[in-house]
């Protein structure tokens, strides 16, 4: 098994078959994390560098655990802790330096959209985009899809609502692309200021002015984090208003299907986009997403390197 | 000073309604004669322009020479060598240097250095406001006296409408046109590309067309109010074209320019995050591009200007969002414009006009933009069918930032003559 792509920069790099391969591989890896000794020798001797030019504790930890469980040698670069990636050295300079140390995979998180794609031109290593600006976060979308498939037992035809700051969300972009590719139907909702221009046409999704209008038909509801720093940028008047008109509370769910799955890429603002009783309620699969995260990352690391030993 | 007799070329001089197989005699830095004769006068060196067009020396009314202040990106010497190689005899340099060209002494520095080291003519554009900060008027009268041909706060709009009005009124006393970079700062926000389907897909912050059009509309209103001569820099949207068209019909004194890259590329070019496609105003949609070409052809847009914006690689290798705006445009201007002629969207005569007579008229440059006897001997001789491949590493400009690297193109300057001296021979 191998993927049709050298890098995972965007969901667009993956064929439908690639996605199914990743999900199947991730399912078999999920079992490893259940063992008392959570380690297999699969990627022994391979070098992975986690380049987190933008802070992210959970994604980074998820990748690190995935690498360790596959016995890869991994190192980390962070924006603050290193002379590299600081002012004065361009992104490509940093990548060329790392390239000289012959890594097999670079996992790149960067605040600038397209940074991993640019880096791909400067190295022979495979690249996994771990989130670039507002552009994409493909492994997050893959773990979201895996979670959905795990709890629903299927994907095609499921109706997914994504609510919140679609405009600034790389997760929403990757989710929309991936869900559409795999035959799910997506409706996005949120304040009109946070719905990007032409999103219907660009991503083939529906836009609802109020998610409550479509809630009864949804199988999955994905709530995105509201970034409080957006408050100063006039996207919405106050966190209170946001919670009142765009947040989801237990009351709203009365009209929803019994088996509606509530998801959230985290970190959760309890009381803003999602009420505490919903986040921690029986329909929530938020922690399941985190578990799938490690498995999906093990899968993509393995599949990108799996059959390249003879190169 | 040498004399030249240019023979066998097609002489196109829109300002004097000339188009034909003629010879041009240059003497004493001036055009002496345009004649059907092919016999070289005594002492004149013959330039054989077979297969070439002989045009008035091209004028680029919008370039950034980065000198003073950012000579690592470009300086007057390298910038004018690039201009000459691109077929330009004169460049007008924008004032957003460091220090800003907001007083006579900086304008004089530019003219003095250009006189010493410039391959082409250089005419400075002064800033509208002190330091380009949009807060208080520059010494506009001094700038005019020192030789500035226009004023502009290029890079941004003067957001204070009251101040812009006063500056436009004031500039009329000195006969200077006001060149406006039209961008409502608050509406543009921190955007890095056109707002549209592509920005939505890429997750890049988009600048709506309205951010440009609002300021175009405002400045047209202010031109009407003040009677000032307004020139719209780098028009990029369909709506801007419409506003200019209507204003011209109503007799308002407004002119406009368009860049070769806005005539050539759309925001689709940004799709692989190439920082060399990051420009301000941003590359727009195909509908905008078509409207610009049509407006250039019918004269709604008067001139072609490159907005040459050289950057060092360290300013571009930052990832798209953090990279600097701009394209190093001098050396690709001619073939990109000629591609429109090859596609029959533009006549050769109109192209020559947009690069010579039009900027000379807009800026009131005496003795420029025409091959009329007595004019400065600024002549661009180019071969429209010369095929070559763009190779940024061979640019004379220090700015290698171009999205056209590797592109196969047609059309190249053979000789650029500046005041009777050969500034470039290709
Ligand atoms: Zn400008």
């Amino acid at each position: 098994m191998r993927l049709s792509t050298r890098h995972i920069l965007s969901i667009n790099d993956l064929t439908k078959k690639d996605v199914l391969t990743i999900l199947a591989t991730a399912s078999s890896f999920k079992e490893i994390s259940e063992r008392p000794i959570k380690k297999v020798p699969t990627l022994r001797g391979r070098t992975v560098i986690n380049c987190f030019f933008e802070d992210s504790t959970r994604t980074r930890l998820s990748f690190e655990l995935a690498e360790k469980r596959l016995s890869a040698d991994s190192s980390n670069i962070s924006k603050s802790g290193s002379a590299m990636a600081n002012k004065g050295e361009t992104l490509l300079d940093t990548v060329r330096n790392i390239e000289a140390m012959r890594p097999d995979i670079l996992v790149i998180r960067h605040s600038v959209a397209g940074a991993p794609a640019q880096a791909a031109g400067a190295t022979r290593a495979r690249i996994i985009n771990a989130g670039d600006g507002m552009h994409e976060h493909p492994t997050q979308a893959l773990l979201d899809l895996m979670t959905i498939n795990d709890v629903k037992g299927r994907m095609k035809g499921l109706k997914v609502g994504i609510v919140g700051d679609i405009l600034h969300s790389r997760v929403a972009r990757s989710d929309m692309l991936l869900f559409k590719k795999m035959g799910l139907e997506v409706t996005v909702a949120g304040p009109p200021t946070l719905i990007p221009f032409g999103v219907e046409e660009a991503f083939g999704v529906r836009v609802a002015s109020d998610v409550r209008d479509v809630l009864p038909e949804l199988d999955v509801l994905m709530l995105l984090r509201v970034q409080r720093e957006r408050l100063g940028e006039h996207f919405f008047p106050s966190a209170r208003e946001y919670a009142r008109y765009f947040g989801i509370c237990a009351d709203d769910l009365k009209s929803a299907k019994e088996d509606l799955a509530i998801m959230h890429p985290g970190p959760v603002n309890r009381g803003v986009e999602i009420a505490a009783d919903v986040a921690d309620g029986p329909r929530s699969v938020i922690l399941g997403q985190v578990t799938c995260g490690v498995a999906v990352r093990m899968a993509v690391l393995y599949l990108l390197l799996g059959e390249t030993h003879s190169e | 000073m040498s004399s030249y007799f240019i023979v066998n070329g097609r002489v196109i001089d829109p300002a004097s309604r000339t188009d034909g197989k003629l010879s041009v005699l240059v003497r004493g830095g001036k055009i002496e004669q345009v004649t059907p004769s092919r016999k070289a006068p005594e002492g004149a060196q013959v330039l054989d322009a077979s297969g070439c067009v002989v045009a008035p020396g091209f004028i680029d009314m919008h370039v950034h020479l980065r000198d003073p202040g950012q000579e690592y990106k470009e300086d007057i010497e390298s910038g004018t060598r690039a201009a000459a190689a691109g077929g330009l005899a004169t460049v007008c340099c924008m004032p957003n240097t460091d220090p800003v060209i907001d007083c006579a002494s900086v304008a004089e520095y530019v003219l003095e250095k250009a006189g010493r080291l410039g391959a082409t003519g250089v005419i400075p554009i002064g800033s509208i406001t002190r330091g380009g900060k949009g807060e208080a008027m520059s010494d506009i009268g001094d700038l005019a006296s020192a030789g500035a041909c226009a004023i502009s706060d290029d890079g941004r709009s003067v957001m204070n409408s009251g101040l812009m009005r006063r500056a436009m009124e004031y500039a009329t006393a000195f006969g200077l046109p006001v060149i406006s970079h039209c961008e409502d700062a608050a509406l543009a926000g921190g955007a890095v590309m056109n707002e549209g389907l592509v920005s939505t897909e890429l997750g890049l912050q988009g600048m709506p067309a309205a951010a440009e059009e609002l300021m175009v509309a405002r400045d047209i209103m202010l031109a009407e109010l003040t009677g000032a001569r307004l020139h719209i820099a780098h028009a990029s949207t369909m709506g801007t074209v419409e506003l200019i068209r209507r204003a011209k019909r109503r007799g308002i004194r407004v002119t406009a320019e368009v860049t070769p890259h806005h005539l050539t590329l759309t925001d689709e070019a940004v799709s692989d995050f190439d920082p060399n496609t990051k420009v301000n105003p941003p590359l727009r949609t195909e509908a905008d591009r078509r409207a610009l070409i049509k407006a250039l052809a019918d004269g709604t847009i008067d001139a072609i200007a490159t907005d040459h914006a050289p950057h060092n690689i360290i300013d571009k290798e930052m990832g798209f969002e953090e990279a600097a705006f701009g394209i190093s445009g001098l050396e690709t201007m001619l073939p990109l414009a000629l591609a429109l002629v090859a596609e029959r969207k533009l006549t050769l005569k109109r192209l020559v006009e947009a690069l010579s007579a039009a900027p000379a008229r807009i800026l009131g440059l005496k003795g420029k933009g025409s091959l009329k006897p007595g004019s400065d001997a600024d002549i661009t001789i180019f071969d429209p069918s010369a095929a070559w491949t763009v190779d940024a590493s061979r640019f004379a400009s220090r700015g290698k930032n171009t999205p056209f690297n590797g592109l196969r193109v047609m059309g190249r300057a053979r000789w650029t003559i500046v005041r009777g001296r050969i500034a470039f021979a290709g």
Side-chain angles (χ1 to χ4, degrees):
Chain A
M1 277 184 305
R2 64 185 307 166
L3 302 178
S4 66
T5 174
R6 276 179 57 81
H7 307 293
I8 301 180
L9 305 171
S10 159
I11 290 297
N12 289 323
D13 294 337
L14 300 170
T15 63
K16 226 168 138 169
K17 187 162 164 272
D18 289 333
V19 174
L20 294 172
T21 304
I22 292 168
L23 293 192
T25 310
S27 290
S28 66
F29 279 144
K30 205 172 168 186
E31 176 267 331
I32 294 170
S33 299
E34 306 297 331
R35 297 181 193 169
I37 306 294
K38 302 172 181 60
K39 206 173 174 86
V40 291
T42 316
L43 293 186
R44 186 182 290 155
R46 312 306 301 241
T47 307
V48 182
I49 302 184
N50 302 307
C51 310
F52 278 65
F53 301 118
E54 180 190 71
D55 295 332
S56 158
T57 310
R58 62 180 61 210
T59 302
R60 177 168 164 169
L61 183 60
S62 183
F63 269 105
E64 281 182 35
L65 286 179
E67 290 147 14
K68 292 197 161 70
R69 285 178 190 176
L70 293 174
S71 304
D73 296 320
S74 64
S75 303
N76 297 304
I77 295 176
S78 63
K79 181 154 190 157
S80 46
S82 146
M84 284 189 193
N86 276 334
K87 248 199 154 98
E89 193 174 61
T90 70
L91 169 69
L92 291 189
D93 274 338
T94 307
V95 171
R96 286 182 199 117
N97 267 287
I98 297 171
E99 164 66 9
M101 303 176 204
R102 303 282 180 265
D104 295 296
I105 290 197
L106 303 184
V107 177
I108 298 183
R109 155 89 86 168
H110 203 289
S111 60
V112 166
Q118 268 194 302
T123 172
R124 280 174 289 175
R126 275 101 168 92
I127 289 183
I128 299 173
N129 178 1
D132 60 331
M134 309 188 314
H135 178 224
E136 281 210 49
H137 192 357
T139 57
Q140 174 72 41
L142 288 162
L143 74 88
D144 289 341
L145 185 66
M146 180 178 180
T147 310
I148 293 170
N149 193 35
D150 280 3
V151 297
K152 299 290 174 190
R154 67 190 173 104
M155 295 183 278
K156 205 169 171 354
L158 288 176
K159 293 192 156 99
V160 183
I162 306 179
V163 180
D165 185 352
I166 313 292
L167 180 65
H168 299 102
S169 175
R170 52 190 168 214
V171 176
R173 278 184 180 75
S174 287
D175 275 349
M176 290 188 287
L177 288 172
L178 181 63
F179 295 172
K180 180 99 202 306
K181 186 184 290 269
M182 303 311 286
L184 291 78
E185 289 174 33
V186 178
T187 303
V188 299
T193 47
L194 294 172
I195 304 292
F197 173 89
V199 69
E200 300 98 319
E201 199 185 325
F203 289 95
V205 300
R206 245 188 340 156
V207 176
S209 52
D210 187 344
V211 70
R212 292 167 185 90
D213 298 342
V214 295
L215 199 55
E217 62 188 58
L218 295 181
D219 301 295
V220 176
L221 180 61
M222 172 86 67
L223 298 163
L224 301 177
R225 175 180 172 77
V226 176
Q227 287 154 301
R228 285 166 184 271
E229 58 268 29
R230 302 287 173 214
L231 263 171
E233 298 172 46
H234 317 298
F235 287 105
F236 52 92
S238 65
R240 189 196 58 79
E241 273 229 1
Y242 188 95
R244 178 156 175 199
Y245 298 102
F246 305 99
I248 292 291
C249 64
D251 240 20
D252 297 321
L253 297 181
K254 282 185 183 145
S255 66
K257 284 185 183 173
E258 196 77 33
D259 63 346
L260 173 75
I262 306 275
M263 301 176 67
H264 193 300
V268 174
N269 283 312
R270 285 184 172 74
V272 185
E273 68 270 4
I274 184 167
D277 51 357
V278 177
D280 308 324
R283 284 159 154 148
S284 168
V285 296
I286 295 173
L287 294 175
Q289 288 172 270
V290 179
T291 309
C292 287
V294 177
V296 155
R297 283 160 185 142
M298 289 169 79
V300 296
L301 288 163
Y302 168 73
L303 290 167
L304 284 180
L305 286 184
E307 297 202 358
T308 59
H309 296 270
S310 55
E311 260 182 30
Chain B
M1 198 172 268
S2 349
S3 301
Y4 294 101
F5 193 60
I6 304 158
V7 295
N8 296 329
R10 176 178 166 193
V11 175
I12 301 181
D13 180 25
S16 64
R17 296 173 194 281
T18 302
D19 185 352
K21 201 109 187 223
L22 296 161
S23 307
V24 178
L25 176 63
V26 169
R27 229 197 297 252
K30 300 279 178 192
I31 306 280
E32 183 161 303
Q33 202 183 13
V34 177
T35 165
S37 162
R38 292 177 55 192
K39 204 170 148 284
E42 187 102 3
Q45 190 185 329
V46 173
L47 298 182
D48 182 357
S50 298
C52 290
V53 173
V54 180
F58 291 159
I59 301 163
D60 189 341
M61 59 184 299
H62 190 150
V63 308
H64 297 273
L65 292 179
R66 309 295 189 207
D67 186 355
Q70 290 187 304
E71 291 87 348
Y72 77 101
K73 296 186 179 202
E74 190 87 288
D75 64 17
I76 287 169
E77 190 177 5
S78 64
T80 54
R81 270 195 293 115
L88 292 152
T90 305
V91 294
C92 304
C93 58
M94 282 295 174
N96 57 343
T97 44
D98 184 14
V100 167
I101 307 176
D102 62 359
C103 60
S105 61
V106 188
E108 281 158 4
Y109 158 84
V110 169
L111 285 165
E112 187 277 327
K113 187 165 177 188
R116 236 172 349 106
L117 300 170
T120 66
V122 176
I123 309 176
I125 294 167
S127 66
I128 300 172
T129 66
R130 224 168 271 284
K133 292 197 175 105
E135 291 162 2
M137 252 191 270
S138 300
D139 297 335
I140 293 171
D142 275 1
L143 285 164
S145 305
C149 61
I151 51 171
S152 177
D153 270 7
D154 185 50
R156 61 182 86 145
S157 280
V158 177
M159 288 303 295
N160 180 332
S161 302
L163 175 56
M164 184 66 169
R165 177 235 174 119
R166 299 292 177 220
M168 287 173 83
E169 279 173 346
Y170 188 77
T172 57
F174 303 94
L176 293 185
V178 178
I179 301 177
S180 182
H181 169 120
C182 292
E183 178 185 345
D184 183 299
L187 189 51
V192 295
M193 69 173 296
N194 180 50
E195 179 173 298
L197 292 179
V198 181
S199 68
T200 294
E201 278 168 27
L202 297 181
L204 291 171
Q205 201 180 328
M207 197 182 297
E212 173 171 316
E213 291 155 9
L214 267 175
M215 294 312 271
V216 172
R218 181 199 76 170
D219 287 348
I220 285 172
M221 286 180 196
L222 292 179
E224 187 170 22
L225 178 68
T226 59
R229 284 195 288 139
L230 170 68
H231 177 76
I232 306 292
H234 41 54
S236 78
T237 79
M238 202 163 25
T240 292
V241 166
E242 244 350 278
L243 288 164
I244 295 166
R245 191 169 276 141
R246 266 186 273 159
K248 282 190 163 179
R249 271 194 206 128
R250 291 178 46 228
I252 298 168
R253 301 213 291 173
V254 56
T255 53
E257 72 193 29
V258 63
T259 74
H261 49 270
H262 286 106
L263 294 168
T264 308
L265 298 175
T266 68
D267 58 358
E268 294 282 342
V270 179
S271 291
D272 59 357
F273 294 103
D274 178 0
N276 290 320
T277 61
K278 181 174 174 182
V279 282
N280 189 13
L283 299 171
R284 304 284 189 181
T285 67
E286 180 61 14
D288 293 309
R289 188 181 80 94
R290 286 197 187 152
L292 293 171
I293 294 171
K294 205 166 150 282
L296 176 63
D298 71 20
T300 302
I301 291 177
D302 303 79
I304 296 172
T306 63
D307 192 6
H308 175 69
H311 287 293
N312 189 278
I313 189 161
I314 61 169
D315 302 298
K316 279 290 191 183
E317 265 193 0
M318 309 300 296
F320 194 89
E321 282 166 284
E322 289 172 355
F325 287 100
I327 288 173
S328 177
L330 290 169
E331 286 158 274
T332 51
M333 184 264 307
L334 185 58
L336 294 178
L338 281 166
L340 300 173
V341 176
E343 292 166 25
R344 299 186 181 282
K345 305 245 174 66
L346 202 65
T347 64
L348 196 52
K349 187 172 156 242
R350 176 71 190 108
L351 181 145
V352 169
E353 184 181 36
L355 281 165
S356 58
R361 168 175 54 81
I362 294 165
L363 299 172
L365 306 180
K366 294 201 179 65
K368 305 269 181 211
S370 171
L371 296 175
K372 267 180 261 180
S375 304
D376 288 347
D378 288 357
I379 306 171
T380 298
I381 302 169
F382 65 95
D383 180 352
S385 55
W388 58 289
T389 301
V390 177
D391 177 358
S393 69
R394 298 178 65 181
F395 278 2
S397 170
R398 284 200 189 127
K400 315 296 181 194
N401 47 305
T402 172
F404 302 109
N405 200 28
L407 188 72
R408 190 84 185 143
V409 293
M410 298 256 280
R412 190 156 210 184
R414 282 277 299 281
W415 287 283
T416 306
I417 299 175
V418 179
R419 291 203 186 97
R421 186 177 48 78
I422 292 179
F424 172 80

